[in-house]
Coordinates of all heavy atoms in Angstrom, one line a residue:
M167 N 16.9 18.1 -8.0 CA 17.5 17.0 -7.3 C 17.7 15.9 -8.4 O 16.8 15.6 -9.2 CB 16.5 16.5 -6.2 CG 17.0 15.4 -5.4 SD 15.9 14.8 -4.1 CE 15.8 16.2 -3.1
S168 N 18.9 15.3 -8.3 CA 19.2 14.2 -9.3 C 18.4 12.9 -9.0 O 17.8 12.8 -7.9 CB 20.7 13.9 -9.3 OG 21.0 13.2 -8.1
L169 N 18.4 12.0 -9.9 CA 17.7 10.8 -9.8 C 18.2 10.0 -8.6 O 17.5 9.4 -7.8 CB 17.7 9.9 -11.1 CG 17.1 8.5 -11.0 CD1 15.6 8.6 -10.6 CD2 17.3 7.8 -12.3
R170 N 19.6 9.9 -8.5 CA 20.2 9.2 -7.4 C 19.8 9.8 -6.0 O 19.5 9.1 -5.1 CB 21.7 9.3 -7.6 CG 22.5 8.7 -6.4 CD 22.3 7.2 -6.3 NE 23.0 6.5 -7.3 CZ 22.8 5.2 -7.6 NH1 22.0 4.5 -6.8 NH2 23.4 4.6 -8.6
E171 N 19.8 11.1 -5.9 CA 19.4 11.8 -4.7 C 17.9 11.5 -4.4 O 17.6 11.2 -3.2 CB 19.6 13.3 -4.8 CG 21.0 13.7 -4.8 CD 21.2 15.2 -5.1 OE1 20.4 15.7 -5.9 OE2 22.1 15.8 -4.6
Q172 N 17.1 11.4 -5.4 CA 15.7 11.0 -5.2 C 15.5 9.6 -4.7 O 14.7 9.3 -3.8 CB 14.9 11.2 -6.5 CG 14.7 12.6 -6.9 CD 14.0 12.7 -8.2 OE1 13.6 11.7 -8.8 NE2 13.9 13.9 -8.7
Q173 N 16.3 8.7 -5.2 CA 16.3 7.3 -4.8 C 16.8 7.2 -3.3 O 16.2 6.4 -2.6 CB 17.2 6.4 -5.7 CG 16.6 6.3 -7.1 CD 17.6 5.6 -8.0 OE1 18.8 5.7 -7.9 NE2 17.0 4.9 -9.0
V174 N 17.8 7.9 -3.0 CA 18.3 7.9 -1.6 C 17.3 8.4 -0.6 O 17.1 7.8 0.4 CB 19.7 8.6 -1.5 CG1 20.1 8.9 -0.1 CG2 20.8 7.9 -2.3
M175 N 16.7 9.5 -1.0 CA 15.6 10.1 -0.1 C 14.5 9.1 0.0 O 13.9 9.0 1.1 CB 15.1 11.4 -0.7 CG 16.2 12.5 -0.7 SD 16.8 12.9 1.0 CE 15.4 13.5 1.8
H176 N 14.1 8.4 -1.0 CA 13.0 7.4 -1.0 C 13.4 6.3 0.0 O 12.6 5.8 0.8 CB 12.7 6.9 -2.4 CG 11.5 6.0 -2.4 ND1 10.2 6.3 -2.2 CD2 11.5 4.6 -2.6 CE1 9.4 5.3 -2.2 NE2 10.2 4.2 -2.5
L177 N 14.6 5.8 -0.1 CA 15.1 4.8 0.7 C 15.1 5.2 2.2 O 14.7 4.4 3.0 CB 16.5 4.3 0.2 CG 17.1 3.1 1.0 CD1 16.3 1.9 0.9 CD2 18.5 2.8 0.4
Y178 N 15.6 6.4 2.5 CA 15.6 6.9 3.8 C 14.2 6.9 4.4 O 13.9 6.6 5.5 CB 16.3 8.2 3.9 CG 17.8 8.2 3.9 CD1 18.5 9.2 3.2 CD2 18.5 7.2 4.6 CE1 19.9 9.1 3.3 CE2 19.9 7.2 4.6 CZ 20.5 8.2 4.0 OH 21.9 8.1 4.0
K179 N 13.3 7.3 3.5 CA 11.9 7.4 4.0 C 11.3 6.0 4.3 O 10.6 5.9 5.3 CB 11.1 8.1 2.8 CG 9.7 8.5 3.2 CD 9.1 9.2 2.0 CE 7.6 9.3 2.1 NZ 7.0 10.0 0.9
E180 N 11.6 5.0 3.5 CA 11.2 3.7 3.8 C 11.8 3.1 5.1 O 11.2 2.5 5.9 CB 11.6 2.7 2.6 CG 10.8 2.9 1.4 CD 11.3 1.9 0.3 OE1 12.2 1.2 0.5 OE2 10.6 1.9 -0.8
I181 N 13.1 3.4 5.3 CA 13.8 2.9 6.4 C 13.3 3.5 7.7 O 13.1 2.9 8.7 CB 15.4 3.2 6.3 CG1 16.0 2.3 5.2 CG2 16.1 3.0 7.6 CD1 17.4 2.7 4.9
S182 N 12.9 4.8 7.7 CA 12.5 5.5 8.9 C 11.0 5.3 9.2 O 10.6 5.7 10.3 CB 12.8 7.0 8.8 OG 12.0 7.6 7.7
H183 N 10.3 4.6 8.3 CA 8.9 4.4 8.6 C 8.7 3.5 9.8 O 9.3 2.4 9.9 CB 8.2 3.8 7.4 CG 6.7 3.8 7.4 ND1 6.0 2.9 8.1 CD2 5.8 4.7 6.9 CE1 4.7 3.2 8.0 NE2 4.6 4.3 7.3
A184 N 7.9 3.9 10.8 CA 7.8 3.2 12.1 C 7.3 1.8 11.9 O 7.7 0.8 12.5 CB 7.0 3.9 13.0
A185 N 6.3 1.6 11.0 CA 5.6 0.3 10.8 C 6.4 -0.6 9.8 O 6.0 -1.7 9.6 CB 4.2 0.5 10.4
G186 N 7.4 -0.1 9.1 CA 8.1 -0.8 8.1 C 7.3 -0.8 6.8 O 6.5 0.1 6.6
V187 N 7.7 -1.7 6.0 CA 7.0 -1.8 4.6 C 6.4 -3.2 4.4 O 7.0 -4.2 4.7 CB 8.1 -1.6 3.5 CG1 7.5 -1.7 2.1 CG2 8.8 -0.2 3.7
R188 N 5.2 -3.2 4.0 CA 4.5 -4.5 3.7 C 4.6 -4.7 2.2 O 4.2 -3.9 1.4 CB 3.1 -4.4 4.2 CG 2.3 -5.7 3.9 CD 0.8 -5.5 4.2 NE 0.2 -6.6 3.6 CZ -0.5 -7.5 4.3 NH1 -0.6 -7.4 5.6 NH2 -1.1 -8.5 3.7
L189 N 5.0 -5.9 1.9 CA 5.1 -6.4 0.5 C 4.2 -7.5 0.2 O 4.0 -8.4 1.1 CB 6.5 -6.8 0.2 CG 7.7 -5.8 0.3 CD1 9.0 -6.4 0.1 CD2 7.5 -4.6 -0.6
T190 N 3.6 -7.5 -0.9 CA 2.8 -8.6 -1.4 C 3.3 -9.2 -2.7 O 3.5 -8.5 -3.6 CB 1.3 -8.2 -1.6 OG1 0.8 -7.6 -0.4 CG2 0.4 -9.4 -1.9
L191 N 3.7 -10.5 -2.6 CA 4.3 -11.2 -3.8 C 3.5 -12.4 -4.1 O 2.9 -13.0 -3.2 CB 5.8 -11.5 -3.5 CG 6.7 -10.4 -3.1 CD1 8.0 -10.9 -2.6 CD2 6.9 -9.5 -4.3
R192 N 3.6 -12.9 -5.3 CA 3.0 -14.2 -5.6 C 3.8 -15.3 -4.9 O 5.1 -15.3 -4.9 CB 3.0 -14.4 -7.1 CG 2.1 -13.5 -7.9 CD 2.0 -13.7 -9.3 NE 3.4 -14.1 -9.9 CZ 3.5 -14.6 -11.1 NH1 2.5 -14.8 -11.9 NH2 4.8 -14.9 -11.5
H193 N 3.1 -16.3 -4.4 CA 3.7 -17.4 -3.7 C 4.7 -18.1 -4.6 O 5.9 -18.4 -4.1 CB 2.6 -18.3 -3.2 CG 3.2 -19.4 -2.3 ND1 3.0 -20.7 -2.7 CD2 3.9 -19.4 -1.2 CE1 3.6 -21.5 -1.7 NE2 4.1 -20.7 -0.8
N194 N 4.4 -18.3 -5.8 CA 5.3 -19.0 -6.7 C 6.6 -18.3 -7.0 O 7.6 -18.9 -7.3 CB 4.6 -19.3 -8.1 CG 3.5 -20.4 -7.9 OD1 3.5 -21.2 -7.0 ND2 2.5 -20.4 -8.8
D195 N 6.5 -17.0 -6.9 CA 7.7 -16.2 -7.1 C 8.7 -16.2 -5.9 O 9.9 -15.8 -6.1 CB 7.4 -14.7 -7.4 CG 6.7 -14.6 -8.8 OD1 6.9 -15.4 -9.6 OD2 5.9 -13.7 -8.9
C196 N 8.2 -16.7 -4.8 CA 9.0 -16.7 -3.6 C 9.7 -18.1 -3.4 O 10.7 -18.1 -2.7 CB 8.2 -16.4 -2.4 SG 7.4 -14.8 -2.4
I197 N 9.1 -19.1 -3.9 CA 9.7 -20.5 -3.7 C 11.0 -20.6 -4.3 O 11.1 -20.4 -5.6 CB 8.7 -21.5 -4.1 CG1 7.4 -21.4 -3.4 CG2 9.3 -22.9 -4.0 CD1 6.3 -22.3 -3.9
N198 N 12.0 -21.0 -3.6 CA 13.4 -21.2 -4.1 C 14.0 -20.1 -4.9 O 14.7 -20.3 -5.8 CB 13.4 -22.5 -4.9 CG 13.1 -23.7 -4.0 OD1 13.5 -23.8 -2.9 ND2 12.4 -24.7 -4.6
S199 N 13.6 -18.8 -4.6 CA 14.1 -17.7 -5.4 C 14.7 -16.6 -4.5 O 15.5 -15.8 -5.0 CB 13.0 -17.1 -6.3 OG 12.0 -16.6 -5.5
I200 N 14.4 -16.6 -3.2 CA 14.9 -15.6 -2.3 C 15.9 -16.2 -1.3 O 15.5 -17.2 -0.7 CB 13.8 -14.8 -1.6 CG1 12.8 -14.3 -2.6 CG2 14.3 -13.7 -0.7 CD1 11.5 -13.7 -2.0
A201 N 17.0 -15.6 -1.1 CA 18.0 -16.1 -0.1 C 17.8 -15.2 1.1 O 17.8 -14.0 1.1 CB 19.4 -16.0 -0.7
F202 N 17.8 -15.9 2.3 CA 17.7 -15.2 3.6 C 19.0 -15.6 4.4 O 19.5 -16.6 4.2 CB 16.5 -15.7 4.4 CG 15.2 -15.4 3.7 CD1 14.4 -16.4 3.1 CD2 14.7 -14.1 3.6 CE1 13.2 -16.1 2.5 CE2 13.5 -13.8 3.0 CZ 12.7 -14.8 2.4
V203 N 19.3 -14.7 5.3 CA 20.5 -15.0 6.2 C 20.1 -14.6 7.6 O 19.4 -13.6 7.8 CB 21.7 -14.2 5.6 CG1 21.5 -12.7 5.7 CG2 23.0 -14.6 6.4
N204 N 20.7 -15.3 8.5 CA 20.5 -15.0 10.0 C 21.6 -14.1 10.4 O 22.8 -14.3 10.1 CB 20.6 -16.3 10.8 CG 19.6 -17.3 10.5 OD1 18.4 -16.9 10.2 ND2 19.9 -18.5 10.5
C205 N 21.3 -13.0 11.1 CA 22.3 -12.1 11.5 C 21.7 -11.3 12.8 O 20.7 -10.7 12.7 CB 22.7 -11.1 10.4 SG 24.0 -10.0 10.9
F206 N 22.5 -11.4 13.9 CA 22.1 -10.7 15.1 C 20.6 -11.2 15.5 O 19.8 -10.3 15.9 CB 22.1 -9.2 15.0 CG 23.5 -8.7 14.6 CD1 23.7 -8.1 13.4 CD2 24.6 -8.9 15.4 CE1 24.9 -7.7 13.0 CE2 25.8 -8.4 15.0 CZ 26.0 -7.8 13.8
S207 N 20.3 -12.5 15.4 CA 19.1 -13.0 15.8 C 17.9 -12.5 15.0 O 16.7 -12.5 15.5 CB 18.8 -12.8 17.3 OG 19.9 -13.4 18.1
Q208 N 18.1 -12.1 13.8 CA 17.1 -11.6 12.9 C 17.3 -12.2 11.5 O 18.4 -12.7 11.3 CB 17.0 -10.1 12.9 CG 16.7 -9.5 14.3 CD 16.7 -8.0 14.3 OE1 17.2 -7.3 13.3 NE2 16.2 -7.4 15.3
V209 N 16.3 -12.1 10.7 CA 16.4 -12.6 9.3 C 16.4 -11.4 8.3 O 15.6 -10.5 8.4 CB 15.3 -13.6 9.0 CG1 15.4 -14.1 7.6 CG2 15.3 -14.7 10.1
Y210 N 17.4 -11.5 7.4 CA 17.5 -10.5 6.4 C 17.5 -11.1 5.0 O 17.9 -12.2 4.8 CB 18.8 -9.7 6.6 CG 18.9 -8.9 7.9 CD1 19.3 -9.5 9.1 CD2 18.4 -7.6 7.9 CE1 19.3 -8.8 10.2 CE2 18.5 -6.9 9.1 CZ 18.9 -7.5 10.3 OH 18.9 -6.8 11.4
V211 N 17.2 -10.3 4.0 CA 17.3 -10.7 2.6 C 18.7 -10.6 2.2 O 19.4 -9.6 2.3 CB 16.4 -9.7 1.7 CG1 16.6 -10.1 0.2 CG2 15.0 -9.8 2.0
A212 N 19.2 -11.8 1.7 CA 20.6 -11.8 1.2 C 20.8 -11.8 -0.3 O 21.9 -11.7 -0.8 CB 21.3 -13.1 1.8
G213 N 19.7 -12.0 -1.0 CA 19.7 -12.0 -2.5 C 18.5 -12.7 -3.0 O 17.6 -13.2 -2.3
W214 N 18.5 -12.8 -4.4 CA 17.5 -13.5 -5.1 C 18.0 -13.9 -6.4 O 19.0 -13.4 -6.9 CB 16.2 -12.7 -5.2 CG 16.4 -11.3 -5.8 CD1 16.4 -11.0 -7.1 CD2 16.8 -10.1 -5.1 NE1 16.8 -9.7 -7.3 CE2 17.0 -9.1 -6.1 CE3 17.0 -9.8 -3.8 CZ2 17.3 -7.8 -5.7 CZ3 17.3 -8.5 -3.4 CH2 17.5 -7.5 -4.4
K215 N 17.3 -14.8 -7.1 CA 17.7 -15.2 -8.5 C 17.3 -14.2 -9.5 O 16.1 -14.1 -9.9 CB 17.0 -16.6 -8.8 CG 17.5 -17.7 -7.9 CD 16.8 -19.0 -8.3 CE 17.4 -20.1 -7.4 NZ 16.7 -21.4 -7.7
Q216 N 18.3 -13.3 -9.8 CA 18.0 -12.2 -10.6 C 17.6 -12.5 -12.1 O 16.7 -11.9 -12.6 CB 19.3 -11.3 -10.7 CG 19.2 -10.1 -11.5 CD 18.2 -9.1 -11.0 OE1 18.0 -9.0 -9.8 NE2 17.6 -8.3 -11.8
R217 N 18.1 -13.6 -12.6 CA 17.7 -13.9 -14.0 C 16.3 -14.5 -14.1 O 15.6 -14.2 -15.0 CB 18.7 -15.0 -14.6 CG 20.0 -14.4 -14.9 CD 20.9 -15.4 -15.6 NE 22.2 -14.7 -15.9 CZ 23.2 -15.3 -16.5 NH1 23.1 -16.6 -16.8 NH2 24.3 -14.7 -16.7
E218 N 15.9 -15.2 -13.1 CA 14.6 -15.8 -13.1 C 13.5 -14.9 -12.6 O 12.3 -15.0 -13.0 CB 14.6 -17.1 -12.3 CG 15.4 -18.2 -12.8 CD 15.5 -19.4 -11.8 OE1 14.7 -19.5 -11.0 OE2 16.5 -20.1 -12.0
H219 N 13.9 -13.9 -11.7 CA 12.9 -13.0 -11.1 C 13.5 -11.6 -11.1 O 13.8 -11.0 -10.1 CB 12.6 -13.4 -9.7 CG 12.0 -14.8 -9.7 ND1 10.7 -15.1 -10.0 CD2 12.6 -16.0 -9.3 CE1 10.5 -16.4 -9.8 NE2 11.7 -17.0 -9.5
P220 N 13.7 -11.0 -12.3 CA 14.4 -9.7 -12.3 C 13.6 -8.6 -11.7 O 14.2 -7.6 -11.2 CB 14.5 -9.4 -13.8 CG 13.5 -10.2 -14.5 CD 13.3 -11.5 -13.6
Y221 N 12.3 -8.7 -11.6 CA 11.4 -7.6 -11.0 C 11.6 -7.6 -9.4 O 11.3 -6.6 -8.8 CB 10.0 -7.8 -11.3 CG 9.5 -9.2 -10.9 CD1 9.1 -9.5 -9.7 CD2 9.6 -10.2 -11.9 CE1 8.7 -10.8 -9.3 CE2 9.2 -11.5 -11.6 CZ 8.8 -11.8 -10.3 OH 8.4 -13.1 -10.0
L222 N 12.2 -8.6 -8.8 CA 12.4 -8.6 -7.4 C 13.4 -7.5 -7.0 O 13.5 -7.0 -5.9 CB 12.9 -9.9 -6.8 CG 11.8 -11.0 -6.8 CD1 12.4 -12.3 -6.3 CD2 10.6 -10.6 -6.0
H223 N 14.2 -7.1 -8.0 CA 15.2 -6.0 -7.8 C 14.5 -4.7 -7.4 O 15.0 -3.9 -6.7 CB 16.0 -5.8 -9.1 CG 16.9 -4.6 -9.1 ND1 18.1 -4.6 -8.4 CD2 16.8 -3.4 -9.6 CE1 18.7 -3.5 -8.5 NE2 18.0 -2.7 -9.3
N224 N 13.2 -4.5 -7.9 CA 12.5 -3.3 -7.6 C 11.6 -3.5 -6.3 O 11.0 -2.6 -5.8 CB 11.5 -3.0 -8.7 CG 12.3 -2.6 -10.0 OD1 13.3 -2.0 -9.9 ND2 11.7 -3.0 -11.1
T225 N 11.7 -4.7 -5.8 CA 10.9 -5.0 -4.6 C 11.7 -5.0 -3.3 O 11.3 -4.5 -2.3 CB 10.2 -6.4 -4.8 OG1 9.5 -6.4 -6.0 CG2 9.3 -6.7 -3.6
F226 N 12.8 -5.7 -3.3 CA 13.7 -5.8 -2.2 C 15.0 -5.0 -2.3 O 15.3 -4.6 -3.4 CB 14.2 -7.3 -2.0 CG 13.1 -8.3 -1.7 CD1 12.8 -9.3 -2.6 CD2 12.5 -8.2 -0.5 CE1 11.8 -10.2 -2.2 CE2 11.5 -9.1 -0.1 CZ 11.2 -10.1 -1.0
H227 N 15.6 -4.8 -1.2 CA 16.9 -4.3 -1.1 C 17.8 -5.3 -0.4 O 17.3 -5.9 0.6 CB 17.0 -2.9 -0.3 CG 16.1 -1.9 -0.9 ND1 14.9 -1.6 -0.3 CD2 16.3 -1.1 -1.9 CE1 14.4 -0.6 -1.0 NE2 15.2 -0.3 -2.0
L228 N 19.0 -5.5 -0.8 CA 19.9 -6.4 0.0 C 20.0 -5.9 1.4 O 20.2 -4.7 1.6 CB 21.3 -6.5 -0.6 CG 21.3 -7.2 -1.9 CD1 22.8 -7.1 -2.5 CD2 20.9 -8.6 -1.8
G229 N 19.8 -6.7 2.4 CA 19.8 -6.3 3.8 C 18.5 -5.9 4.4 O 18.4 -5.5 5.5
D230 N 17.4 -6.0 3.6 CA 16.1 -5.7 4.2 C 15.8 -6.8 5.3 O 16.0 -8.0 5.1 CB 15.0 -5.8 3.1 CG 14.9 -4.6 2.3 OD1 15.6 -3.6 2.6 OD2 14.1 -4.6 1.3
R231 N 15.3 -6.3 6.4 CA 14.9 -7.2 7.5 C 13.5 -7.8 7.2 O 12.6 -7.0 6.8 CB 14.9 -6.5 8.8 CG 14.6 -7.4 10.0 CD 14.7 -6.6 11.3 NE 14.0 -7.3 12.3 CZ 13.3 -6.8 13.2 NH1 13.2 -5.5 13.3 NH2 12.7 -7.5 14.1
V232 N 13.3 -9.1 7.4 CA 12.1 -9.7 7.1 C 11.5 -10.1 8.5 O 12.1 -10.8 9.3 CB 12.2 -11.0 6.3 CG1 10.9 -11.7 6.0 CG2 13.0 -10.7 5.0
V233 N 10.3 -9.5 8.8 CA 9.7 -9.7 10.1 C 8.7 -10.8 10.1 O 8.6 -11.6 11.1 CB 9.0 -8.4 10.5 CG1 8.3 -8.5 11.9 CG2 10.0 -7.2 10.6
S234 N 7.9 -11.0 9.1 CA 6.9 -12.0 9.0 C 6.6 -12.4 7.6 O 6.8 -11.6 6.7 CB 5.6 -11.6 9.7 OG 4.9 -10.6 9.0
I235 N 6.1 -13.6 7.4 CA 5.7 -14.1 6.1 C 4.2 -14.6 6.2 O 4.0 -15.5 7.0 CB 6.6 -15.2 5.6 CG1 8.0 -14.6 5.3 CG2 6.0 -15.8 4.3 CD1 9.0 -15.6 4.9
G236 N 3.3 -14.0 5.5 CA 1.9 -14.4 5.6 C 1.3 -14.2 6.9 O 0.5 -15.0 7.4
G237 N 1.9 -13.3 7.7 CA 1.4 -13.0 9.0 C 2.0 -13.8 10.1 O 1.8 -13.6 11.3
A238 N 2.9 -14.8 9.7 CA 3.5 -15.7 10.7 C 4.9 -15.2 11.0 O 5.7 -15.0 10.0 CB 3.5 -17.1 10.1
S239 N 5.3 -15.1 12.2 CA 6.6 -14.7 12.6 C 7.5 -15.9 12.6 O 7.1 -17.1 12.7 CB 6.6 -14.1 14.0 OG 5.8 -13.0 14.1
F240 N 8.8 -15.7 12.5 CA 9.8 -16.7 12.5 C 11.1 -16.1 13.1 O 11.3 -14.9 13.2 CB 10.0 -17.3 11.1 CG 10.2 -16.2 10.1 CD1 11.5 -15.8 9.8 CD2 9.2 -15.7 9.4 CE1 11.7 -14.8 8.9 CE2 9.4 -14.6 8.5 CZ 10.7 -14.2 8.3
S241 N 12.1 -17.0 13.4 CA 13.3 -16.5 14.0 C 14.6 -16.9 13.2 O 15.7 -16.4 13.5 CB 13.4 -17.0 15.4 OG 13.4 -18.4 15.5
T242 N 14.5 -17.8 12.2 CA 15.6 -18.2 11.4 C 15.3 -18.2 9.9 O 14.2 -18.2 9.5 CB 16.1 -19.6 11.8 OG1 15.1 -20.5 11.5 CG2 16.4 -19.7 13.3
A243 N 16.4 -18.1 9.2 CA 16.3 -18.2 7.7 C 15.6 -19.5 7.2 O 14.8 -19.5 6.3 CB 17.6 -17.9 7.0
S244 N 16.0 -20.6 7.9 CA 15.4 -21.9 7.5 C 13.9 -21.9 7.8 O 13.2 -22.5 7.0 CB 16.2 -23.0 8.1 OG 16.1 -23.0 9.5
A245 N 13.5 -21.3 8.9 CA 12.1 -21.2 9.2 C 11.3 -20.4 8.2 O 10.2 -20.7 7.8 CB 11.9 -20.7 10.6
A246 N 12.0 -19.3 7.7 CA 11.4 -18.5 6.7 C 11.2 -19.3 5.4 O 10.1 -19.3 4.8 CB 12.2 -17.3 6.4
H247 N 12.2 -20.1 5.0 CA 12.0 -20.9 3.8 C 11.0 -22.0 4.0 O 10.2 -22.3 3.1 CB 13.4 -21.6 3.4 CG 14.3 -20.6 2.7 ND1 14.1 -20.2 1.5 CD2 15.5 -20.1 3.2 CE1 15.1 -19.4 1.1 NE2 15.9 -19.3 2.1
S248 N 10.9 -22.5 5.2 CA 9.8 -23.5 5.5 C 8.5 -22.9 5.4 O 7.5 -23.6 4.8 CB 10.0 -24.1 6.9 OG 11.3 -24.8 6.9
L249 N 8.3 -21.7 5.9 CA 7.0 -21.1 5.8 C 6.6 -20.8 4.3 O 5.5 -21.0 3.9 CB 7.0 -19.7 6.5 CG 6.7 -19.7 7.9 CD1 6.9 -18.3 8.5 CD2 5.2 -20.1 8.2
I250 N 7.6 -20.4 3.5 CA 7.3 -20.2 2.1 C 6.9 -21.4 1.4 O 6.0 -21.5 0.5 CB 8.5 -19.5 1.4 CG1 8.7 -18.0 2.0 CG2 8.3 -19.5 -0.1 CD1 9.9 -17.4 1.5
R251 N 7.6 -22.5 1.7 CA 7.4 -23.8 1.0 C 6.1 -24.4 1.4 O 5.5 -25.2 0.6 CB 8.5 -24.8 1.3 CG 9.7 -24.5 0.4 CD 10.7 -25.6 0.5 NE 11.2 -25.7 1.9 CZ 12.4 -25.2 2.2 NH1 13.2 -24.7 1.3 NH2 12.8 -25.3 3.5
S252 N 5.6 -24.2 2.6 CA 4.3 -24.8 3.1 C 3.1 -24.1 2.4 O 2.9 -22.9 2.6 CB 4.2 -24.8 4.6 OG 4.1 -23.4 5.0
D253 N 2.4 -24.8 1.6 CA 1.3 -24.3 0.9 C 0.2 -23.8 1.8 O -0.6 -22.9 1.5 CB 0.7 -25.3 -0.1 CG 1.7 -25.5 -1.3 OD1 2.5 -24.6 -1.6 OD2 1.6 -26.6 -1.9
S254 N 0.0 -24.5 2.9 CA -1.1 -24.2 3.8 C -0.9 -23.0 4.6 O -1.9 -22.4 5.1 CB -1.4 -25.4 4.7 OG -0.2 -25.7 5.5
A255 N 0.3 -22.6 4.8 CA 0.6 -21.4 5.7 C 0.4 -20.1 5.0 O 0.1 -19.1 5.7 CB 2.0 -21.5 6.2
I256 N 0.5 -20.1 3.7 CA 0.4 -18.8 3.0 C -0.6 -18.9 1.8 O -0.6 -19.8 1.0 CB 1.8 -18.4 2.4 CG1 2.9 -18.5 3.5 CG2 1.8 -17.0 1.7 CD1 4.3 -18.4 3.0
P257 N -1.5 -17.9 1.7 CA -2.3 -17.8 0.5 C -1.5 -17.7 -0.7 O -0.4 -17.2 -0.7 CB -3.2 -16.5 0.8 CG -3.0 -16.2 2.2 CD -1.7 -16.8 2.6
D258 N -2.1 -18.1 -1.9 CA -1.4 -18.1 -3.1 C -0.8 -16.8 -3.5 O 0.3 -16.7 -4.2 CB -2.3 -18.6 -4.3 CG -2.3 -20.1 -4.4 OD1 -1.5 -20.7 -3.7 OD2 -3.2 -20.6 -5.0
S259 N -1.4 -15.7 -3.2 CA -0.9 -14.4 -3.6 C -0.1 -13.6 -2.6 O 0.3 -12.5 -2.9 CB -2.1 -13.5 -4.0 OG -2.9 -13.3 -2.9
V260 N 0.1 -14.2 -1.4 CA 0.9 -13.5 -0.4 C 2.1 -14.2 0.0 O 2.1 -15.4 0.3 CB 0.0 -13.2 0.9 CG1 0.8 -12.5 1.9 CG2 -1.3 -12.5 0.5
C261 N 3.2 -13.5 0.0 CA 4.5 -14.1 0.5 C 5.2 -13.0 1.3 O 5.2 -11.9 0.9 CB 5.3 -14.5 -0.7 SG 6.9 -15.1 -0.3

């Protein structure tokens, strides 16, 4: 199986997982670096600052749905950014 086929199979496995995928990122790496978008009453990853945070390429996929941040639910992209910016809502190591 080629590398591309392995990557596609891994992606399908992540997508089909019932509980989704839990990511843990440093709080400082999330502030003003990830772009979110509202679509169909849900929040999705729209991009990130690739030059400043190149490793996020291995963490996110464009179009990943974001369900909660630091255990807190939200319904809009601006609410997600507000949660990330508020120091009291999220521990230093979790975003």
Side-chain angles (χ1 to χ4, degrees):
M167 184 180 298
S168 72
L169 175 61
R170 175 63 75 191
E171 290 171 327
Q172 290 175 5
Q173 291 172 329
V174 169
M175 293 303 295
H176 183 73
L177 182 58
Y178 280 140
K179 191 173 165 183
E180 286 179 358
I181 291 170
S182 65
H183 194 278
V187 178
R188 179 187 166 118
L189 300 174
T190 303
L191 301 169
R192 293 183 320 168
H193 185 238
N194 290 338
D195 293 332
C196 298
I197 298 173
N198 297 323
S199 61
I200 303 169
F202 300 108
V203 65
N204 300 320
C205 187
F206 303 115
S207 301
Q208 297 176 349
V209 179
Y210 294 89
V211 174
W214 54 88
K215 293 182 178 177
Q216 181 65 29
R217 287 187 180 176
E218 295 173 22
H219 303 280
Y221 53 86
L222 290 178
H223 175 73
N224 296 323
T225 305
F226 293 115
H227 302 101
L228 291 177
D230 280 351
R231 182 174 162 220
V232 183
V233 178
S234 66
I235 295 176
S239 298
F240 50 89
S241 58
T242 65
S244 61
H247 282 291
S248 295
L249 272 173
I250 291 171
R251 280 190 295 258
S252 67
D253 290 334
S254 60
I256 307 170
D258 276 346
S259 63
V260 177
C261 176

